[in-house]
Amino acid sequence: MPMIKIYASLFLLFAVIAGVNAQSQPAAPKDTIKIQPVTVKAYLSEQPVLNVPASINVINQQQLDVQPQNSFVPVLNSQPGVRAEERSPGSYRLSIRGSLLRSPFGVRDVKIYFDEIPLTDAGGNTYLNAIDFNSIHNMEVLKGPDGSLFGANTGGVVLMTPVNHHADSSFLTAGLNGGSYGFVHENTALQQRAGNYQLNLDQAYENYSGYRQHSAMHRNYLQMVNSWNYNKNDQFRLLGFYSSLDYQTPGGLTLAQYEADPSLARPATKTIPGSVEQNAGIYQKMLFGGAVNEYHFDDHWRNVLSVFGTYVDFANPFITDYEQRYESTYGFRTYFEYTSNDRVIYKWKADFGIEWQQTNADINNYGNDLGVRDTAQTLDKINTNQHFLFARYVADFAKRLHVEGALSLNYYDYEFKNLFPNDEAAFTDRSFTPQLMPRIALAYQLSNQFVWRASISRGYSTPTTSEIRPTDHQINPNLQAQDGWNYETGLRFFNKDESLYLDASVFYYHINNAIVPRFNADETEYYINAGGLNQPGMEIYFSDWLIKQRNTGFIRGLQFTESLTLDHFTFSNDYHDVNGSYAGNQLTGVPDQVIVTSLQFKLPQYFYFYIEYNYTSRIPLTDASTAFAPAYNLLQAKAGWHHYIGAKTRLEVYAGADNLLNEKYSLGDDFNAVGNRFYNAAAPRNYYAGMSVIF
């Protein structure tokens, strides 16, 4: 805790000094480039981020451009309170203000939207790894439970935008990059505008041999967004993507194996074959699509309606078996919004709507004969329905006080039956009691650039399909939902030209009935409600153009960014399993300190240089705190050059390096692993280079 206080004090001192200095600077010279104002659409309509009474981080196109273009992990980890992992290429995990303990595989307990359509299915699973990095142009990360508008979650919400709304002309782009360990990534994008119509097409191919043995990955990706502005403010759009992703899973290593040769895949034992022998991997095909319509009845009333469907073909040859899943999802989301007349003293807005989803899954397990599907073991059907009603009221008083109240009523149920070996004729139903998820928030504008905020919200998260029917093939209808209350306050500050930005928050979040996995001796998993979690924390995000962007001088822009995450997440007094109590232990999978610092230089002749440093403290690997992954320091850098050929054509050439300090670390540990096989080694120092052309 003393180190936490030191870091916090130093950072806040720097922020105050920088803020005062920025306010005392003379007016910007005429050659200074104006910065695009930061806005968000997270709460149903676009608004400046300054007055939003919530912890929210915006990842815009400029932030995506300076990152390696092969994974969402680095850019997500640059945001305070967010932890993304990639145990092997293509194998994502994601948490927001919480533990990855619930997610040994995939993304759970975080609700993700692709445009206005939920990417998270009714069963609570999200195939984030299906999406190509270059097809997303903006991300908004809402931290803490936000079920009042987005349904069941206790983690947070991510909104992904597939079209760059600031690019309003027709263009064609083509890019190619490659690097260490057989990395190749090719992508093209077309935007065609004709009157009131716009077509966006994206295509990508990515291949990666991987640092570790048996860790190859390749993905083919196609995406389409077709929009029609049929009135001044009204738009209809069709959107969707197809993704084909295959990747090998090398498996976890013991500490001795990790120290001897971290590049190896999990070896065989006397009783269990290894990853290579069993050809362990993921074969995932996903088709996602829908239609979104926004219609304004008049100056006050508008409606947004989306209908959607998804189909996933998923196969996972594993060490012990071969799982095959066929999942289909369909649903709709709609809301109405009323905006009052503009008044000097008081104006308000109200929203009300519904989101409904149905996911039907065939989940089948077979023997794994060296990577080939063998004799049937268990064949199940699980149909899941999740829907919620929501309403929100927002009021602004004298352009100073912003008050929000929101509430959702959440319904969740599933039915299941076994086709083999029991040949059940009828489904068994499991319904959960409808739950209210309120959120109350306010923000007070102390000055034109300085806002204080506070909020109280409830989180509620039902067990996912993968938790109800885990790898031990036993359906558990007794698994309960987890829930909790989050209390938060914070501040947000801009200077006049928005070149300096500070966002800070402190929170306390208590979760009841935490859903966590446990493992049998044969390494199959099952889930229990283990007890409560105490999650107090502090997050700070600071960014400043120390040298504002301009058209003269050697350094034509210098941006400093600092992201700080400090927390003390522990198990509550009632947290236990059959082996005993873990009360007071640090929450498994969560580092208590993460510091990310970056500098971006703009140089003459359209050269740029970006460098980022990430310090992550040690991470507990077991609930009993008997093993820890050591702290690590990551350094990455990227340099590039833009060259304009004529009025529209632009060439970009760039090169970069990751893990410049050549750290030995694991980016995605296996928690409470059988045989203490915790470690999935990340790549040592590696390099990449690429180019892109915009016509």
Side-chain angles (χ1 to χ4, degrees), residues 89 180-183 207-217 248:
S180 304
Y181 308 112
F183 170 60
N207 187 81
Y208 189 35
S209 299
Y211 160 64
R212 293 183 65 191
Q213 179 187 26
H214 197 71
S215 63
M217 180 271 281
Q248 297 171 324

Side-chain angles (χ1 to χ4, degrees), residues 69-70 177-185 206-209 687-689:
Q69 296 182 6
N70 63 330
N177 57 9
S180 304
Y181 308 112
F183 170 60
V184 176
H185 188 195
E206 185 173 352
N207 187 81
Y208 189 35
S209 299
Y687 307 92
Y688 63 90

Side-chain angles (χ1 to χ4, degrees), residues 69 132 134 173-178 183-189 203-207 219-221:
Q69 296 182 6
D132 180 73
N134 287 299
T173 69
L176 177 66
N177 57 9
F183 170 60
V184 176
H185 188 195
E186 168 271 328
N187 64 281
T188 58
Q203 171 275 329
Y205 171 77
E206 185 173 352
N207 187 81
R219 174 174 48 227
N220 282 292
Y221 186 80

Side-chain angles (χ1 to χ4, degrees), residues 358-424:
Q358 174 81 25
T359 297
N360 299 329
D362 293 343
I363 308 176
N364 306 321
N365 290 89
Y366 307 86
N368 181 10
D369 183 11
L370 308 180
V372 178
R373 195 177 84 177
D374 200 356
T375 307
Q377 296 178 349
T378 307
L379 311 180
D380 291 305
K381 280 184 174 290
I382 299 182
N383 300 330
T384 307
N385 182 276
Q386 185 172 145
H387 62 282
F388 61 96
L389 307 169
F390 60 93
R392 171 177 174 259
Y393 181 81
V394 183
D396 285 289
F397 299 90
K399 298 183 179 180
R400 289 290 183 186
L401 178 62
H402 178 97
V403 179
E404 290 190 15
L407 181 69
S408 70
L409 179 60
N410 292 259
Y411 296 84
Y412 180 74
D413 63 84
Y414 62 87
E415 59 179 14
F416 59 91
K417 69 176 179 179
N418 179 261
L419 302 181
F420 179 84
N422 297 332
D423 191 23
E424 295 174 349

Side-chain angles (χ1 to χ4, degrees), residues 221-260:
Y221 186 80
L222 293 172
Q223 177 180 295
M224 181 273 292
V225 180
N226 193 5
S227 59
W228 171 39
N229 295 306
Y230 54 91
N231 282 318
K232 180 181 178 181
N233 296 316
D234 303 326
Q235 186 183 77
F236 176 79
R237 56 188 181 271
L238 293 170
L239 63 155
F241 65 77
Y242 172 75
S243 173
S244 176
L245 171 67
D246 301 338
Y247 61 92
Q248 297 171 324
T249 52
L253 300 176
T254 66
L255 180 60
Q257 293 165 346
Y258 175 71
E259 290 180 339

Side-chain angles (χ1 to χ4, degrees), residues 649-671:
T649 303
R650 189 188 77 171
L651 171 68
E652 179 182 3
V653 179
Y654 57 87
D658 188 25
N659 195 6
L660 280 165
L661 302 177
N662 208 32
E663 281 275 64
K664 185 177 182 180
Y665 74 107
S666 176
L667 186 60
D669 303 290
D670 294 334
F671 307 123

